[in-house]
Amino acid sequence: MNKELTKNLASGHSACAGCAFPTIVRTILGESDVPVVISNATGCLEVTSTLYPYTAWKVPYIHNAFENAAATISGVERAYKILKKKGKIKKEIKFVTFAGDGGTYDIGFQSLSGALERGHNFLYVCYDNGGYMNTGNQRSSATPFGAATETTPSGKMSFGKMEVRKNLMDIAAAHGVPYAAQANVAYLPDLKKKARKALETEGPTFLLVFSPCTNNWKFPTSQFVSIAKLATETNFWPLYEIEKGKYKINWATEKPKPVEEFLKTQGRFKHLFSEKNKPVIGQIQKMVDAEFRRLASLVE
Amino acid sequence: MTKNSKKLALTGGYAAAEALKQINPDVMAVYPITPQTPIIEVFSKFKSDGEVDTEVIHVESEHSAISACVGSSAAGARTVTATSSQGLALMNEILYIASGLRRPILMLVSARALAAPLNIHGDHSDVMGARDSGWVQIFCSTPQEVYDKTIVGMKLAEKVKLPVMVIMDGFNTSHSVENMEILEKEAVQKFVGEYSPEKYLLDIDNPVTFGPVALQNSYFEFRKDLSDAFDTVEGELEKIYEEYGHISGRSYKKIEKYKLEDAEKILVAMGSVGGTIKDAIDKLREDGEKVGLLEISLFRPFPYEEVKKALKDTKEVIVLDRNLAFGTKQVLASEISHSIGKKVKSVVYGLGGRDTFQKQIMDLVKGDNQSGYLL
Ligand SMILES: Cc1ncc(C[n+]2csc(CCOP(=O)(O)OP(=O)(O)O)c2C)c(N)n1
Ligand SMILES: [Mg+2]
């Protein structure tokens, strides 16, 4: 494998074929010109990259627990501050946290909020695969409306998850962080630009990255990029950034594809295509349109 | 009094903060809870006045406090925290991770009751709940001890690469004033020395992965290594106490004996109740009762051998627990019983800050209270 690509996260991890997060991690870390130290929440990325006695991490790395990756990096970052002041550490170092959507939107929400509020100098990356994948695909508050998971299965009385995704971008931005951006693994130049900006910005920064899961979204491993692309082309996952409170949409088209195009590629939405559930697709389309209009209205 | 010491009147909480100031740790991550608050408030004032260099992280929960401590310690910084009660219970998950990752974190605990019902006063429920989490646990019975054992605890943690709790009784010790001696800052600095970890996150040229997944083929060995590390604690603590004795003139032991030589009955206890018991013993001895006190200072690892030696010829052993274990024997009573291989008389006292009086101890020794409680 390309040496430059794997200089931070080696090949030989045990993530599924067609998993998006190795690309996300490598792309983001590749944008740092200075050494990085990583904290990682429990989840798929962690278990597939650190199986003792091996590690895929070529950079200093700490996994503490599921809900405390942000608190953990808070400690690392402050340790750096004081040890640098005392002259014990000379180098410039950046701090990056990786966590799944469960470790971010749900159980790690408080820890993230605390770290953003305290203003630590670090980048928090949430790779959002829309569920608790490591434990076998249970719903999280990032799971899309209508998706079937093991804890929100479709059935006679249910069309899957009945609640709308939590809007974490606005929540992160409400902490007054200098930079937050939503990105997608299918748009690497955009992801790189955002990673660089986030890493170069002083203070806490936040990236929310779309990360398809072949196993639990149920699509062929070869499709992760094309499905991720559809998410943005349908406005299901707009690319945008919030810089010092200012919203900017980074990709838009006159004629977004119908959200159905995205939904039909994945087994988790298959049940929506039944006669009974068809109206749900219409509902999702309305939600996507409304959310994009809202976003557009926030852009100056 | 040694030449480099100074006399002061301090509470246990203040004494802890004073010791921490003199240690001048790199990082302290804390969240307030009564009766730990004096420690972190006094320390924060030291920080505001520029008397310490420490980065104080005012986190949003105890879970994050200990999580940040693990991060800071793994980064290579000398790290401390302080908590009580619900806070310690909230930390529970990460206590095991701190010890599993062999992080030499020092934690001051103002031991307090656990809810429900809510109660902010002293007992040992919180620290007993953390007793098998891989932390060394050292009990103090006076503010002087808190000061001394904070300094000793820091050195011990880094020596044995284990996290250490230094425990005082909430309010009884944390908020009561005692005349005590403190050392010069330089002496403390010299005693604890520079912290130089072998492996740490900020050592960019030697990347380490902390906190990996370890399955059936290796997890067991990791846990056994941790257990083996506990076998080194008693010896190292003895050495550190001895060294501390040289600079302070105060000598400490894993267990403290009071009038044991000829004792036919021995009371066993931990923490601030020791003072009341000693007074009771003095009175009882006037009446011809041959009674003594064994104070357990080092609770984890438990000093079975020493305890056995101290109690082996005693007719009657009465163990006082300031914690109520449900559906089983009391914790300290079980440990003592295990040490000497015979039954002990077990009694629970002081829950939720309930006062314990000399007379109650005297009645207990005389056999007038068989209820198992000092209610
Ligand atoms: C306190 C705690 N609760 C539950 C778990 C079990 N658990 C481990 S990973 C995980 C899900 C992770 O989901 P996410 O953060 O989205 O990451 P992903 O696995 O999807 O990459 C859960 C529920 C845990 N490790 N710790
Ligand atoms: Mg997930």
Side-chain angles (χ1 to χ4, degrees):
Chain A
M1 234 182 159
N2 182 326
K3 277 226 173 77
E4 184 57 23
L5 251 177
T6 55
K7 70 175 183 198
N8 297 302
L9 180 72
S11 58
H13 57 71
S14 55
C16 304
C19 174
F21 58 59
T23 309
I24 294 170
V25 170
R26 288 182 182 133
T27 304
I28 291 170
L29 296 184
E31 291 308 303
S32 182
D33 298 330
V34 301
V36 289
V37 172
I38 308 299
S39 92
N40 187 193
T42 310
C44 282
L45 171 61
E46 170 257 334
V47 301
T48 58
S49 61
T50 67
L51 185 55
Y52 186 83
Y54 307 107
T55 178
W57 295 92
K58 294 182 174 172
V59 290
Y61 167 102
I62 181 165
H63 160 248
N64 188 342
F66 185 17
E67 66 284 60
N68 63 1
T72 305
I73 207 81
S74 303
V76 179
E77 185 254 8
R78 287 294 181 89
Y80 170 68
K81 204 168 150 192
I82 178 87
L83 295 180
K84 190 130 190 269
K85 203 156 108 192
K86 287 186 173 173
K88 289 188 177 178
I89 304 286
K90 301 274 182 325
K91 286 187 173 151
E92 199 59 40
I93 300 174
K94 298 270 182 203
F95 301 94
V96 184
T97 294
F98 289 102
D101 48 289
T104 304
Y105 286 69
D106 294 340
I107 201 166
F109 189 60
Q110 171 183 318
S111 166
L112 169 62
S113 175
L116 296 182
E117 182 271 333
R118 289 188 299 272
H120 298 283
N121 194 14
F122 80 118
L123 163 60
Y124 188 103
V125 181
C126 172
Y127 63 95
D128 186 343
N129 53 22
Y132 300 162
M133 298 325 188
N134 186 47
T135 39
N137 191 24
Q138 297 84 18
R139 67 91 86 182
S140 78
S141 57
T143 302
F145 178 81
T149 69
E150 297 299 326
T151 50
T152 59
S154 67
K156 251 189 255 161
M157 306 298 286
S158 173
F159 57 81
K161 188 181 176 230
M162 303 208 188
E163 301 81 25
V164 179
R165 282 166 47 78
K166 189 187 278 181
N167 184 339
L168 197 66
M169 281 291 291
D170 278 356
I171 296 170
H175 288 80
V177 300
Y179 186 72
Q182 180 159 295
N184 183 334
V185 69
Y187 294 78
L188 290 183
D190 178 74
L191 177 59
K192 280 186 189 172
K193 221 166 62 198
K194 287 171 175 168
R196 184 161 286 273
K197 211 183 249 182
L199 286 162
E200 283 173 358
T201 301
E202 186 75 19
T205 53
F206 179 76
L207 288 184
L208 184 58
V209 190
F210 194 69
S211 182
C213 169
T214 158
N215 223 11
N216 295 321
W217 294 11
K218 301 179 178 72
F219 63 80
T221 55
S222 61
Q223 299 302 300
F224 89 86
V225 177
S226 60
I227 286 173
K229 203 149 177 263
L230 274 171
T232 294
E233 288 172 347
T234 57
N235 283 346
F236 177 86
W237 192 271
L239 305 185
Y240 68 104
E241 53 195 348
I242 311 171
E243 201 173 349
K244 297 200 182 78
K246 286 205 173 66
Y247 285 70
K248 184 176 171 194
I249 295 175
N250 311 105
W251 191 96
T253 167
E254 286 289 304
K255 271 180 84 69
K257 291 182 178 163
V259 74
E260 201 177 318
E261 298 283 306
F262 169 68
L263 301 177
K264 73 178 184 201
T265 57
Q266 302 149 58
R268 63 176 173 158
F269 296 119
K270 193 170 163 207
H271 59 288
L272 297 182
F273 292 85
S274 71
E275 225 25 69
K276 178 171 72 88
N277 287 335
K278 267 269 159 72
V280 178
I281 296 181
Q283 233 176 314
I284 296 176
Q285 185 66 60
K286 278 201 190 113
M287 286 177 190
V288 165
D289 293 345
E291 175 56 19
F292 197 81
R293 271 200 308 276
R294 190 189 71 91
L295 253 188
S297 78
L298 293 170
V299 177
E300 273 174 15
Chain B
M1 203 160 156
T2 58
K3 67 174 182 329
N4 51 2
S5 66
K6 177 164 91 178
K7 266 203 182 295
L8 286 172
L10 298 179
T11 62
Y14 203 111
E18 185 66 35
L20 290 175
K21 178 180 87 179
Q22 295 183 326
I23 292 168
N24 196 16
D26 296 316
V27 174
M28 176 195 242
V30 282
Y31 191 82
I33 181 165
T34 306
Q36 155 260 38
T37 39
I39 305 173
I40 69 168
E41 289 173 1
V42 170
F43 195 86
S44 296
K45 183 74 172 108
F46 290 150
K47 172 71 183 168
S48 290
D49 292 341
E51 293 190 57
V52 290
D53 303 312
T54 312
E55 279 293 325
V56 185
I57 318 180
H58 298 289
V59 285
E60 80 300 332
S61 75
E62 287 88 352
H63 195 285
S64 285
I66 188 65
S67 298
C69 284
V70 168
S72 150
S73 174
R78 177 173 277 164
T79 304
V80 301
T81 185
T83 194
S84 283
S85 184
Q86 309 302 123
L88 186 60
L90 187 57
M91 287 180 177
N92 194 267
E93 180 199 24
I94 312 303
L95 295 180
Y96 289 80
I97 292 173
S99 59
L101 295 179
R102 304 291 302 273
R103 295 295 91 220
I105 299 162
L106 174 68
M107 183 195 297
L108 273 300
V109 184
S110 291
R112 168 187 145 178
L114 284 177
L118 186 90
N119 179 296
I120 60 164
H121 295 281
D123 78 26
H124 297 160
S125 305
D126 53 1
V127 284
M128 286 298 119
R131 70 182 181 274
D132 297 324
S133 60
W135 284 62
V136 172
Q137 291 184 314
I138 300 172
F139 278 81
C140 307
S141 51
T142 63
Q144 180 73 66
E145 281 187 33
V146 171
Y147 171 81
D148 293 328
K149 290 178 180 178
T150 298
I151 295 164
V152 164
M154 190 80 253
K155 192 175 170 92
L156 178 67
E158 290 166 6
K159 181 73 199 176
V160 297
K161 301 190 177 75
L162 288 170
V164 172
M165 281 180 209
V166 171
I167 301 160
M168 71 193 90
D169 284 0
F171 290 103
N172 306 91
T173 306
S174 68
H175 286 63
S176 56
V177 180
E178 187 193 68
N179 283 322
M180 51 177 286
E181 277 178 37
I182 64 165
L183 298 166
E184 295 276 331
K185 183 178 177 185
E186 291 66 37
V188 174
Q189 285 281 308
K190 192 163 163 238
F191 179 75
V192 293
E194 279 275 311
Y195 177 49
S196 41
E198 274 168 51
K199 294 190 169 130
Y200 55 104
L201 288 169
L202 299 179
D203 185 5
I204 290 296
D205 301 325
N206 301 292
V208 203
T209 289
F210 281 88
V213 178
L215 299 180
Q216 293 89 329
N217 61 349
S218 57
Y219 176 85
F220 205 155
E221 280 75 12
F222 274 108
R223 300 312 270 183
K224 185 175 173 298
D225 280 352
L226 176 56
S227 176
D228 292 346
F230 269 80
D231 295 342
T232 67
V233 173
E234 289 191 50
E236 292 300 339
L237 180 59
E238 271 169 12
K239 280 189 236 162
I240 294 171
Y241 272 154
E242 198 182 315
E243 196 184 327
Y244 190 71
H246 292 317
I247 65 161
S248 67
R250 289 180 292 280
S251 62
Y252 290 105
K253 303 218 159 43
K254 296 174 285 184
I255 56 175
E256 303 285 347
K257 300 170 194 167
Y258 185 71
K259 301 191 176 170
L260 290 198
E261 300 77 34
D262 61 339
E264 290 168 358
K265 294 182 184 177
I266 297 180
L267 293 144
V268 184
M270 305 193 286
S272 60
V273 78
T276 309
I277 297 180
K278 285 176 192 167
D279 288 347
I281 287 173
D282 293 347
K283 278 243 172 72
L284 286 161
R285 280 191 171 258
E286 285 170 18
D287 302 341
E289 281 271 14
K290 288 188 176 159
V291 54
L293 168 67
L294 179 69
E295 284 185 282
I296 306 296
S297 168
L298 181 65
F299 181 71
R300 283 290 182 268
F302 197 80
Y304 291 104
E305 284 308 313
E306 306 239 332
V307 168
K308 186 177 168 183
K309 259 187 248 158
L311 298 177
K312 68 176 189 312
D313 302 323
T314 318
K315 281 202 203 115
E316 189 178 350
V317 178
I318 306 170
V319 184
L320 287 90
D321 271 275
R322 201 177 184 183
N323 166 68
L324 191 47
F326 307 109
T328 183
K329 306 280 185 206
Q330 300 314 317
V331 177
L332 185 57
S334 305
E335 296 290 15
I336 300 300
S337 174
H338 186 81
S339 308
I340 58 179
K342 63 179 187 205
K343 269 200 172 161
V344 298
K345 189 165 170 179
S346 168
V347 61
V348 174
Y349 76 100
L351 295 191
R354 180 73 54 91
D355 281 330
T356 298
F357 298 100
Q358 227 182 83
K359 172 148 188 331
Q360 289 177 299
I361 303 291
M362 292 170 72
D363 289 348
L364 186 66
V365 172
K366 288 183 195 148
D368 295 344
N369 180 350
Q370 299 288 349
S371 70
Y373 298 95
L374 300 187
L375 279 165

